[in-house]
Amino acid sequence: MFETAIQTFTSPVVLFFVLGLFAAYVRSDLAIPEPIAKAMSLYLMAAIGLKGGVAVAKSGIDGTVIAALAAGIVAGFVLPLFAYVVLKSFGKLDRINSGAVAAHYGSISVVTFVTAGEILTGQGREPGGFMVAVMAAMEAPAILSGLMLARGAGSKSGTQSTGEMLHEVFTNSSIVLLLGAFAIGMLGGAQGFAEVSPFFEAGFKGVLCIFLLDMGLIAARRMMDSRAVTWRLGVIAIFLPIVNGAAGTALGIGIGLDAGSAAALGVLCASASYIAVPAAMRLALPEADPGIYLTMSLSITFPFNVLINIGLISAFAAMLTGAGGATP
Amino acid sequence: MFETAIQTFTSPVVLFFVLGLFAAYVRSDLAIPEPIAKAMSLYLMAAIGLKGGVAVAKSGIDGTVIAALAAGIVAGFVLPLFAYVVLKSFGKLDRINSGAVAAHYGSISVVTFVTAGEILTGQGREPGGFMVAVMAAMEAPAILSGLMLARGAGSKSGTQSTGEMLHEVFTNSSIVLLLGAFAIGMLGGAQGFAEVSPFFEAGFKGVLCIFLLDMGLIAARRMMDSRAVTWRLGVIAIFLPIVNGAAGTALGIGIGLDAGSAAALGVLCASASYIAVPAAMRLALPEADPGIYLTMSLSITFPFNVLINIGLISAFAAMLTGAGGATP
Amino acid sequence: MFETAIQTFTSPVVLFFVLGLFAAYVRSDLAIPEPIAKAMSLYLMAAIGLKGGVAVAKSGIDGTVIAALAAGIVAGFVLPLFAYVVLKSFGKLDRINSGAVAAHYGSISVVTFVTAGEILTGQGREPGGFMVAVMAAMEAPAILSGLMLARGAGSKSGTQSTGEMLHEVFTNSSIVLLLGAFAIGMLGGAQGFAEVSPFFEAGFKGVLCIFLLDMGLIAARRMMDSRAVTWRLGVIAIFLPIVNGAAGTALGIGIGLDAGSAAALGVLCASASYIAVPAAMRLALPEADPGIYLTMSLSITFPFNVLINIGLISAFAAMLTGAGGATP
Amino acid sequence: MIETVIRKRIEILADKALQKRVTDAIDRAGITGWTIVPVTSGRGREGHWREESVMGTDKVFVLTIAAEDKAMALAEELAPMLTDLGFILSMWDVQVIRGERFD
Amino acid sequence: MIETVIRKRIEILADKALQKRVTDAIDRAGITGWTIVPVTSGRGREGHWREESVMGTDKVFVLTIAAEDKAMALAEELAPMLTDLGFILSMWDVQVIRGERFD
Amino acid sequence: MIETVIRKRIEILADKALQKRVTDAIDRAGITGWTIVPVTSGRGREGHWREESVMGTDKVFVLTIAAEDKAMALAEELAPMLTDLGFILSMWDVQVIRGERFD
Ligand SMILES: Nc1ncnc2c1ncn2[C@@H]1O[C@H](COP(=O)(O)O)[C@@H](O)[C@H]1O
Ligand SMILES: Nc1ncnc2c1ncn2[C@@H]1O[C@H](COP(=O)(O)O)[C@@H](O)[C@H]1O
Ligand SMILES: Nc1ncnc2c1ncn2[C@@H]1O[C@H](COP(=O)(O)O)[C@@H](O)[C@H]1O
Ligand code: NA
Ligand code: NA
Ligand code: NA
């Protein structure tokens, strides 16, 4: 466990994230140009999609894969309910904001998943390639769940037809790119991937470093500018990833996943979206306050997951499989 | 031939282009930031220029190279005449627009050439390095040819002195970068290139994938927004690359090029410019309608070449040299 | 010496710089998008910081390192005094502009240093990794020195409190990123670096090529647009790097550095800032004319250093250590 | 001397994600066109924001030129959005050449 | 109270590729300067466009502030371009400080 | 018909590096907000410049909408900067909806 923490904190990926937090904290003018940040996120999604597709082309689709997909989708629908109750009661948020925040916590963060992939692989527990498909499958359900929770209150000028909403959700850039690259990986297989691997594989960790540097800057700056988040919400932003992470990991082990894949499922449950869901909420629930959901997911839960919770989840998965000694 | 088609459609490069077409078609918001797209096109030109220069430094300049250059330049001047006649008669375009479109079809598309290079190399028919120089030489002549065809009609406020025009044509960024990198490749040779090859060579295919993803998005979006292109023009945008591609390939074989280089010459003849020539036309023939020439070259001819015509041309070159069995 | 010049001029890095100068000179529209240029400069700083940190993690910090750091800081404070005297007397500049320009010449240019690193390594004289720390240490002192020289004249609305100024200087993005990456390199060590080296090491020279292409474009365009620089200032912009370069190299040899590190110290003394210091001067001395200090440092001194002076300094260092024959 | 006519120029600061709602309203109002200008940061009652496209929080200016009556109709239609979504609208008279292009 | 004077502010939406024609006209009109603002997309009679620098179809706003007479002279000179090249020009009165900078 | 009120719209062209001085002045003037629009190039008495962020020479437009009195107070406060730092300020009347947001 302690070893895990040390490993986390000497990984360049995590250290660059800490550097970003630090630079924002001392009010440095360090900034990654916004088109570059966007390009890096597209790159990471294309790379991870390709890699997952190639892995599944090799391993094939079996019962475990189907079970993992089903587990992810169910979790995506159910997790927001739990989050909603906590947010309304302990968090004292109104219905609309509770629904909006719940959608974020039921959905997933690609970058948290990618970072976890690096950390887990470094600990000898590489998640299966199919977990990328699970991740893609988990992006949307929570949005629908969260909206249903919030909609009772009605929404005026912002109302969007459900058709528009579903179209928005299934054609948003991250879903299209992730699944598209996944399909390309499956079609092209290992041979096709070999051609492009110097670009998508060799550069991957370095790009992730710079991307996390940027995420650190953005997360810390938003935290310092923000006033909308109460201490109660701050507590929830730590509590939910712990509980969801443990539940997801246990679920993963329960359906027969290996330790790495189960931990990855735990991380998906623990992570909160800060790209796809905010964009969807801005369209579908414009009355909800972005100052609340972005600050919670991006400035509290994301750093907590990257710095601490991934390590916890990995250790928990190892414990459940009795493979604590798997660390090389 | 069928094999060739399969190979084309499992190449990640082509698959990413198809993904772009698809994403635009389902109206996804996927988009490559514009400075990134521009940077990728600069990268591709620098990389291809360098590689060509290094190849020529190794092989030297002989009679074949000179013949290929001459053939390219002549084709650049002559192809627009043929295109112009077809556009005015069958296409029912006026003089100015016929001249403008003809210039596009006489000139070349760097990305089509680069994609063809990948596909041909995958089929064991790598074009000679000097073809990069041929490509650079073919960029300008068609612009002059097309303008002469269009100018009879006169052009009012848009008129640009011929001096300005020539300066524009010979200093446009793609010519300067292509030939500049070519010269650097020749001066630095294989040794100089070795230092920078991890960047310019290893990343090449991956960047091409993302760039073609973007081209797919842009081509399909333009097609869906456009109303200026009639069915007659659509037919011409398929007919010209077929005829020009076959003619160029035959010409290449005729002057003694190997199958790969001849196919590359065919692809250059078949491809239509959508970067350099539109920019030149906007300055020199501002009355011509960009809605026509961009949609034809970018949204019809470009996808047709990438998805189908490169394969046809390659097979044709193999047939002409009796080397159909060269595919490994 | 002649050999050195040849080597310089067949290095792709330098050739791309020359291509940039040429393209701007013929008024080509070639341009690197600005977010890309910014990203490349962040990349170069992160890469060089990491590499330096890993090197120091291996070699440890000894007396030589301390001496080099001290030498750099002293040089940073002292060089502006000399420059100021030359600028006021021979250069006929007023007090404020003399102080502003002097700050630029006392500080350093990261890109000049990086280019020198490539050239020196190519000549078998790789500078020690700790020189990155020396570079970071030399960025700020000259700013303070230059301001003290200029401030006697008083500055009206532009005045900034010294506290603000110091904060600005120590949190500017290049210092934070350089030192942050240096720290990450030290913490992660060679093992951590191995994970990210495909990105930060393999791409390095290629990125430097494109960055220097852009610097060539910017330097030449600024030169052609500029009217603020007299012939006297032009002479100074060549004279200062020669004298400062020789002095810095001699100082380096004097405190016991190897030839490569001493040459690197010479290059740091010879180089003039065109990123950090102009930004600081715009805030602290807004009455000073950017047309003067940017044109001198960027359009005269920078090309002179890259094309000629690095070669001279390297030869001088070799001479001083009697190791002229070290070139392989 | 060249003849100019008076039209209204309207400028709406909107979330990029919601930009389509504004331009759809312009299209519905029968106005001939619109233009989007990027915006990098700002401060209002809800505090400071920066361009953060990764998170989808950035804004744009939507500009359009129209005859007075259509401009007022557009303002009327957009008014509820201004309140609910925090958009900002300002408009003023401008002289244009070839006024028929902006009817 | 600080003194302000009235000048004309002119705004021209032009193709990036043809921007130099506009700024050359401004220079010829003897106006002291101009500023370029980027534009990301738009819709007009010719349909919708997006910033597509790779294909060279993007546009910019050219802004300039000038005394009334020079502004009108500029509008006069630019009028044919507006028609032929589809540029858009609008202008209005603004108050400026230190008016001599904009004569 | 929807009701509009008149406010002043102020536009300041400033160096990006010095933008904070302008926005601080706006905050001090008690104005409710401001918005930054990027600028890519320009020409003035000091010659031509291009966006060169690497070298820190780029500029921005700072826009703000305020009641007349606050606008004039802001102009007054910014006047010395205009002269010393070469900033440009122009302002004009605009109609806004929900004027209380811009007091
Ligand atoms: N008085 C103002 N002048 C110009 N822009 C403003 C003003 N007030 C608000 N804004 C812009 O509108 C955005 C949203 O404002 P608010 O809804 O008050 O937070 C801000 O971030 C600014 O970009
Ligand atoms: N009424 C308008 N208001 C603002 N911008 C317009 C208007 N009409 C056209 N435009 C802009 O001018 C460009 C060219 O218009 P057009 O020549 O009508 O296609 C469009 O793409 C828009 O960016
Ligand atoms: N008359 C003008 N109209 C619009 N922008 C101007 C004008 N004069 C100057 N500028 C802008 O202000 C910047 C600085 O002007 P200057 O201080 O005169 O060099 C220029 O680079 C332009 O971007
Ligand atoms: Na989750
Ligand atoms: Na062609
Ligand atoms: Na120096």
Side-chain angles (χ1 to χ4, degrees):
Chain A
M1 183 102 178
F2 180 68
E3 215 176 315
T4 302
I6 288 287
Q7 271 180 325
T8 301
F9 282 97
T10 58
S11 152
V13 170
V14 173
L15 288 170
F16 268 99
F17 182 67
V18 174
L19 177 59
L21 294 174
F22 170 79
Y25 179 74
V26 301
R27 303 201 175 268
S28 165
D29 64 347
L30 185 61
I32 310 292
E34 177 266 312
I36 303 295
K38 190 138 196 211
M40 288 193 298
S41 92
L42 297 176
Y43 168 89
L44 293 174
M45 284 188 286
I48 196 182
L50 272 178
K51 207 173 136 198
V54 171
V56 169
K58 244 185 275 174
S59 70
I61 297 178
D62 59 9
T64 323
V65 173
I66 307 284
L69 278 167
I73 292 172
V74 170
F77 277 112
V78 173
L79 291 177
L81 303 181
F82 173 59
Y84 181 82
V85 171
V86 176
L87 287 158
K88 267 208 93 171
S89 57
F90 181 77
K92 309 207 159 167
L93 273 188
D94 62 27
R95 184 165 189 160
I96 288 183
N97 279 306
S98 296
V101 175
H104 288 74
Y105 281 85
S107 185
I108 54 85
S109 146
V110 177
V111 179
T112 310
F113 177 80
V114 167
T115 309
E118 292 303 321
I119 293 177
L120 290 170
T121 304
Q123 295 171 348
R125 286 193 274 277
E126 188 174 0
F130 60 88
M131 289 307 297
V132 173
V134 176
M135 173 172 71
M138 285 182 74
E139 195 153 45
I143 298 180
L144 302 178
S145 233
L147 279 184
M148 280 184 297
L149 291 166
R151 274 281 163 83
S155 75
K156 285 172 307 181
S157 68
T159 322
Q160 215 192 3
S161 79
T162 312
E164 268 185 314
M165 239 284 307
L166 286 178
H167 179 264
E168 181 68 29
V169 164
F170 287 108
T171 62
N172 91 59
S173 59
S174 61
I175 297 247
V176 169
L177 187 54
L178 262 177
L179 291 186
F182 193 89
I184 292 174
M186 284 192 67
L187 285 172
Q191 194 199 335
F193 188 61
E195 302 175 30
V196 295
S197 72
F199 180 71
F200 286 113
E201 200 161 46
F204 192 76
K205 269 207 182 154
V207 171
L208 187 58
C209 286
I210 303 294
F211 192 75
L212 281 176
L213 174 67
D214 191 39
M215 293 303 301
L217 289 166
I218 292 174
R221 281 188 185 138
R222 169 167 287 280
M223 193 69 218
M224 295 190 306
D225 281 355
S226 156
R227 277 154 295 180
V229 169
T230 61
W231 71 265
R232 288 176 177 273
L233 295 177
V235 169
I236 294 178
I238 301 283
F239 169 78
L240 283 179
I242 294 181
V243 174
N244 292 352
T249 309
L251 177 64
I253 299 290
I255 61 172
L257 299 182
D258 59 288
S261 301
L265 184 62
V267 169
L268 288 174
C269 292
S271 73
S273 170
Y274 49 82
I275 299 185
V277 181
M281 289 300 124
R282 199 72 188 110
L283 282 168
L285 278 185
E287 315 89 319
D289 182 356
I292 297 178
Y293 53 69
L294 273 175
T295 307
M296 286 181 69
S297 69
L298 183 63
S299 300
I300 306 180
T301 300
F302 178 71
F304 174 69
N305 276 332
V306 167
L307 299 179
I308 297 174
N309 207 26
I310 293 175
L312 295 180
I313 288 173
S314 170
F316 185 57
M319 208 186 76
L320 288 184
T321 50
T327 316
Chain B
M1 182 105 176
F2 179 69
E3 215 176 316
T4 302
I6 289 287
Q7 272 181 326
T8 300
F9 281 97
T10 56
S11 152
V13 169
V14 174
L15 288 171
F16 269 100
F17 181 67
V18 174
L19 177 59
L21 293 174
F22 170 80
Y25 179 73
V26 300
R27 302 200 176 270
S28 164
D29 64 345
L30 185 61
I32 311 291
E34 178 264 312
I36 303 296
K38 190 137 196 211
M40 288 193 297
S41 91
L42 297 176
Y43 168 89
L44 293 174
M45 285 188 286
I48 197 184
L50 271 178
K51 207 173 135 199
V54 171
V56 170
K58 245 186 270 172
S59 71
I61 297 176
D62 60 9
T64 323
V65 174
I66 307 284
L69 279 167
I73 292 171
V74 169
F77 277 112
V78 173
L79 291 177
L81 303 180
F82 173 58
Y84 180 82
V85 170
V86 176
L87 287 158
K88 267 208 91 171
S89 57
F90 180 77
K92 308 207 158 165
L93 273 188
D94 62 26
R95 184 166 189 157
I96 288 183
N97 278 304
S98 297
V101 175
H104 288 73
Y105 281 85
S107 185
I108 54 88
S109 146
V110 176
V111 178
T112 310
F113 177 81
V114 166
T115 309
E118 293 303 322
I119 294 176
L120 291 169
T121 304
Q123 296 172 345
R125 286 193 274 275
E126 187 175 358
F130 59 87
M131 288 307 296
V132 173
V134 175
M135 173 174 70
M138 284 181 75
E139 194 153 46
I143 298 179
L144 302 177
S145 230
L147 279 182
M148 278 184 299
L149 291 166
R151 272 284 164 79
S155 75
K156 285 173 307 180
S157 69
T159 323
Q160 216 192 4
S161 79
T162 312
E164 267 186 315
M165 239 286 305
L166 286 178
H167 178 263
E168 182 68 29
V169 164
F170 287 109
T171 62
N172 91 59
S173 59
S174 61
I175 297 247
V176 168
L177 187 54
L178 263 177
L179 292 186
F182 194 90
I184 292 174
M186 286 193 66
L187 285 172
Q191 193 200 336
F193 188 61
E195 301 175 32
V196 294
S197 74
F199 181 71
F200 285 113
E201 200 161 45
F204 191 77
K205 269 208 183 155
V207 172
L208 187 58
C209 284
I210 303 294
F211 192 74
L212 280 177
L213 174 67
D214 191 40
M215 294 303 303
L217 289 166
I218 292 174
R221 281 189 185 137
R222 169 167 287 280
M223 193 70 218
M224 295 190 305
D225 281 355
S226 155
R227 279 155 294 181
V229 169
T230 62
W231 72 264
R232 289 175 177 274
L233 295 178
V235 169
I236 294 178
I238 302 281
F239 169 78
L240 283 179
I242 295 181
V243 174
N244 291 353
T249 310
L251 177 64
I253 300 290
I255 61 171
L257 298 183
D258 59 289
S261 301
L265 184 61
V267 169
L268 288 174
C269 292
S271 74
S273 170
Y274 49 80
I275 300 184
V277 180
M281 289 299 125
R282 199 73 189 111
L283 281 169
L285 278 185
E287 315 88 320
D289 182 356
I292 298 177
Y293 52 69
L294 274 176
T295 308
M296 288 181 69
S297 69
L298 184 63
S299 299
I300 307 179
T301 302
F302 179 70
F304 173 69
N305 277 330
V306 167
L307 299 179
I308 297 174
N309 207 25
I310 292 174
L312 295 180
I313 289 173
S314 170
F316 185 58
M319 207 186 77
L320 289 184
T321 50
T327 315
Chain C
M1 181 104 179
F2 179 69
E3 216 176 314
T4 302
I6 289 287
Q7 272 182 325
T8 300
F9 282 97
T10 58
S11 153
V13 169
V14 173
L15 287 170
F16 270 99
F17 182 67
V18 174
L19 177 58
L21 294 173
F22 171 80
Y25 179 72
V26 300
R27 302 201 176 269
S28 165
D29 63 346
L30 185 60
I32 310 292
E34 178 265 312
I36 304 296
K38 192 138 194 210
M40 288 193 297
S41 92
L42 295 177
Y43 168 89
L44 293 175
M45 284 188 288
I48 196 184
L50 272 178
K51 207 173 136 201
V54 171
V56 170
K58 244 186 274 175
S59 71
I61 297 177
D62 60 8
T64 323
V65 174
I66 307 283
L69 278 168
I73 292 172
V74 169
F77 276 113
V78 173
L79 290 178
L81 303 180
F82 173 58
Y84 180 82
V85 170
V86 177
L87 286 158
K88 268 207 93 170
S89 58
F90 181 76
K92 307 206 161 167
L93 274 188
D94 61 27
R95 184 164 188 161
I96 288 183
N97 279 304
S98 295
V101 175
H104 288 72
Y105 281 85
S107 185
I108 54 87
S109 146
V110 177
V111 179
T112 310
F113 177 79
V114 167
T115 309
E118 292 303 322
I119 294 177
L120 291 170
T121 303
Q123 295 172 346
R125 286 192 274 274
E126 187 174 359
F130 59 88
M131 288 308 296
V132 173
V134 175
M135 173 174 70
M138 283 181 75
E139 195 154 44
I143 298 179
L144 302 178
S145 231
L147 280 183
M148 279 184 298
L149 291 166
R151 274 280 164 82
S155 75
K156 285 174 307 180
S157 68
T159 322
Q160 216 191 3
S161 79
T162 313
E164 268 185 314
M165 240 284 308
L166 285 178
H167 178 265
E168 181 68 28
V169 164
F170 286 110
T171 62
N172 90 61
S173 59
S174 61
I175 297 249
V176 168
L177 187 53
L178 263 176
L179 292 186
F182 193 89
I184 292 174
M186 285 193 65
L187 286 172
Q191 193 200 335
F193 188 59
E195 302 175 29
V196 295
S197 74
F199 180 73
F200 285 113
E201 199 162 47
F204 191 76
K205 268 206 183 156
V207 171
L208 187 58
C209 284
I210 303 294
F211 192 75
L212 281 177
L213 174 67
D214 191 40
M215 294 302 305
L217 289 166
I218 292 174
R221 283 190 183 134
R222 169 167 287 282
M223 193 69 218
M224 295 189 307
D225 281 354
S226 156
R227 277 155 295 182
V229 168
T230 61
W231 71 264
R232 287 175 178 274
L233 295 177
V235 168
I236 294 178
I238 301 282
F239 169 78
L240 283 180
I242 295 181
V243 174
N244 292 353
T249 309
L251 176 64
I253 299 289
I255 61 171
L257 299 183
D258 59 288
S261 302
L265 183 62
V267 168
L268 288 173
C269 292
S271 75
S273 170
Y274 49 80
I275 300 184
V277 181
M281 288 300 125
R282 198 73 188 110
L283 282 169
L285 278 185
E287 314 89 318
D289 181 356
I292 297 177
Y293 52 69
L294 274 175
T295 307
M296 287 181 70
S297 68
L298 183 64
S299 299
I300 307 179
T301 301
F302 178 70
F304 174 69
N305 277 331
V306 167
L307 300 179
I308 297 174
N309 207 25
I310 293 175
L312 294 181
I313 288 173
S314 170
F316 185 56
M319 207 187 75
L320 287 186
T321 50
T327 316
Chain D
M1 197 138 177
I2 194 155
E3 204 189 326
T4 63
V5 297
I6 303 293
R7 292 284 175 270
K8 277 268 181 258
R9 182 192 155 107
I10 308 177
E11 198 172 278
I12 300 131
L13 183 71
D15 282 38
K16 203 178 208 164
L18 300 171
Q19 157 188 334
K20 206 172 156 341
R21 298 214 187 153
V22 176
T23 58
D24 284 352
I26 295 174
D27 293 352
R28 274 197 307 276
I31 295 172
T32 53
W34 41 264
T35 303
I36 306 289
V37 168
V39 159
T40 31
S41 67
R43 192 188 60 75
R45 297 155 309 161
E46 281 169 26
H48 185 236
W49 58 269
R50 288 178 208 83
E51 193 178 31
E52 290 184 356
S53 287
V54 176
M55 258 64 54
T57 54
D58 47 356
K59 304 203 183 233
V60 294
F61 265 124
V62 183
L63 313 182
T64 186
I65 297 177
E68 164 118 34
D69 54 341
K70 289 190 182 159
M72 294 312 292
L74 176 66
E76 193 108 23
E77 178 167 353
L78 290 177
M81 264 192 233
L82 300 183
T83 316
D84 291 355
L85 306 178
F87 294 176
I88 285 181
L89 180 151
S90 66
M91 57 185 171
W92 62 92
D93 286 336
V94 297
Q95 295 163 262
V96 298
I97 303 179
R98 299 182 48 235
E100 74 282 3
R101 282 192 60 183
F102 308 101
D103 278 342
Chain E
M1 194 137 180
I2 194 156
E3 203 188 329
T4 63
V5 296
I6 304 293
R7 292 284 176 271
K8 277 268 180 259
R9 183 192 155 106
I10 309 178
E11 198 172 277
I12 300 131
L13 181 72
D15 282 37
K16 203 179 209 166
L18 301 171
Q19 155 189 334
K20 206 173 157 339
R21 297 212 190 153
V22 177
T23 57
D24 284 353
I26 295 174
D27 294 351
R28 274 198 308 274
I31 295 171
T32 54
W34 41 265
T35 303
I36 306 289
V37 168
V39 159
T40 32
S41 68
R43 193 188 59 74
R45 296 153 311 160
E46 283 169 25
H48 184 235
W49 59 268
R50 287 179 208 81
E51 193 176 32
E52 293 184 352
S53 287
V54 177
M55 258 64 55
T57 55
D58 47 355
K59 304 202 183 235
V60 294
F61 267 124
V62 182
L63 314 181
T64 185
I65 297 177
E68 165 119 35
D69 53 342
K70 287 189 185 161
M72 294 312 292
L74 177 65
E76 194 108 26
E77 179 167 354
L78 290 177
M81 266 192 233
L82 301 183
T83 316
D84 293 354
L85 306 178
F87 293 175
I88 286 181
L89 179 150
S90 67
M91 57 185 173
W92 62 91
D93 285 337
V94 297
Q95 295 165 264
V96 298
I97 303 179
R98 298 183 50 234
E100 73 282 3
R101 280 191 62 183
F102 309 100
D103 279 341
Chain F
M1 194 137 179
I2 192 154
E3 204 189 327
T4 62
V5 296
I6 303 293
R7 291 286 175 271
K8 277 267 180 258
R9 183 192 155 106
I10 309 178
E11 198 172 278
I12 300 130
L13 182 72
D15 283 36
K16 203 178 209 166
L18 301 171
Q19 156 189 333
K20 206 170 158 343
R21 297 212 189 154
V22 176
T23 58
D24 284 353
I26 295 174
D27 294 351
R28 274 198 307 274
I31 295 172
T32 54
W34 41 264
T35 303
I36 306 289
V37 168
V39 159
T40 32
S41 68
R43 193 190 58 76
R45 296 155 309 162
E46 281 169 25
H48 185 234
W49 59 269
R50 287 179 209 81
E51 193 178 31
E52 291 184 356
S53 287
V54 177
M55 258 65 54
T57 54
D58 47 355
K59 304 203 184 233
V60 293
F61 266 124
V62 183
L63 313 182
T64 186
I65 297 178
E68 165 118 33
D69 53 341
K70 286 191 184 158
M72 295 312 292
L74 177 65
E76 193 109 25
E77 176 165 356
L78 290 177
M81 265 191 232
L82 301 183
T83 316
D84 292 356
L85 306 178
F87 293 176
I88 285 181
L89 179 150
S90 67
M91 57 184 172
W92 62 92
D93 285 337
V94 297
Q95 295 164 263
V96 299
I97 303 178
R98 300 182 49 234
E100 73 282 4
R101 281 192 61 184
F102 308 100
D103 278 341

